[in-house]
Amino acid sequence: GLIGSIANLSKLSDSHISNLSAGIFNQLSRYSEARVKMTERAAALSALLKLADSHENETQIVAVRTCCNLVLDNNIRGAAIKAGVYASLEKGLLLQDKDTVRQCLASIFSVCTEDLFMEQMAKSTRIPVTLIKYISNSDHSNVTLTPEEYSLGARTLCMLSWCTRSRLFLQ
């Protein structure tokens, strides 16, 4: 199908094709049925995660935002997390695109509805540390946080600290 074809095209070592592939994945991620198909196919998720690691900033931004769209969907969040989307969300927090950062913050906060997801985040990623640095502005002295961004980061850290399963890994 289309999603498999895009995943195969994205493997080509052409930055223009990679960018187009990221854009198509992003457009498709607007539709519930397409998001389900993306998470059902390991090759598609793997391709998307590789696009999020691209050296091209625009490709990275679009792929990270697509990962956010997957995480924001309650029905497929678990499959996206299992595939390794946390690394892309963390990378998105460090990008210089404010809209992407905001969407990553919202996506990460949306994970705080499930103890297992919070445990996995605290146990296997540096997202809590990245959030602390981000909201404290220690590494982003030239970035001014909006109240919404600060709130999402702080609320996520509070949820991770409150949850018994994730709290153990924050110490």
Side-chain angles (χ1 to χ4, degrees):
L2 177 62
I3 291 173
S5 297
I6 300 304
N8 287 332
L9 277 175
S10 72
K11 294 176 187 174
L12 298 175
S13 59
D14 181 315
S15 62
H16 181 68
I17 291 175
S18 294
N19 192 336
L20 288 173
S21 298
I24 293 169
F25 274 139
N26 188 264
Q27 290 297 318
L28 290 172
S29 72
R30 294 178 180 190
Y31 304 99
S32 176
E33 196 172 309
R35 289 190 300 268
V36 169
K37 296 275 188 210
M38 282 183 196
T39 55
E40 286 176 347
R41 292 178 170 72
L45 273 174
S46 175
L48 179 60
L49 296 177
K50 284 187 182 183
L51 289 168
D53 282 336
S54 171
H55 297 296
E56 298 293 325
N57 192 46
E58 186 179 336
T59 301
Q60 224 179 38
I61 288 169
V62 175
V64 165
R65 292 185 70 129
T66 304
C67 290
C68 290
N69 290 344
L70 298 179
V71 171
L72 288 167
D73 185 330
N74 293 332
N75 299 318
I76 59 164
R77 180 179 294 143
I81 290 170
K82 187 176 180 181
V85 78
Y86 278 146
S88 297
L89 298 181
E90 183 173 1
K91 179 177 291 247
L93 290 174
L94 303 174
L95 294 173
Q96 296 300 313
D97 184 77
K98 292 290 276 180
D99 292 329
T100 303
V101 169
R102 203 170 300 116
Q103 190 175 7
C104 285
L105 287 167
S107 299
I108 292 167
F109 181 70
S110 76
V111 169
C112 293
T113 58
E114 297 276 338
D115 288 358
L116 175 63
F117 297 155
M118 289 190 289
E119 177 186 6
Q120 290 170 337
M121 184 191 311
K123 184 178 182 180
S124 61
T125 74
R126 294 189 42 80
I127 289 176
V129 172
T130 303
L131 284 172
I132 290 169
K133 287 180 180 178
Y134 187 76
I135 65 173
S136 70
N137 258 344
S138 62
D139 285 348
H140 298 33
S141 57
N142 61 341
V143 173
T144 304
L145 297 178
T146 66
E148 177 192 14
E149 292 166 342
Y150 183 86
S151 175
L152 283 169
R155 288 173 25 204
T156 299
L157 289 169
C158 288
M159 294 295 290
L160 290 169
S161 300
W162 183 261
C163 174
T164 307
R165 291 176 70 170
S166 59
R167 182 182 324 144
L168 296 170
F169 302 100
L170 297 178
Q171 300 175 12

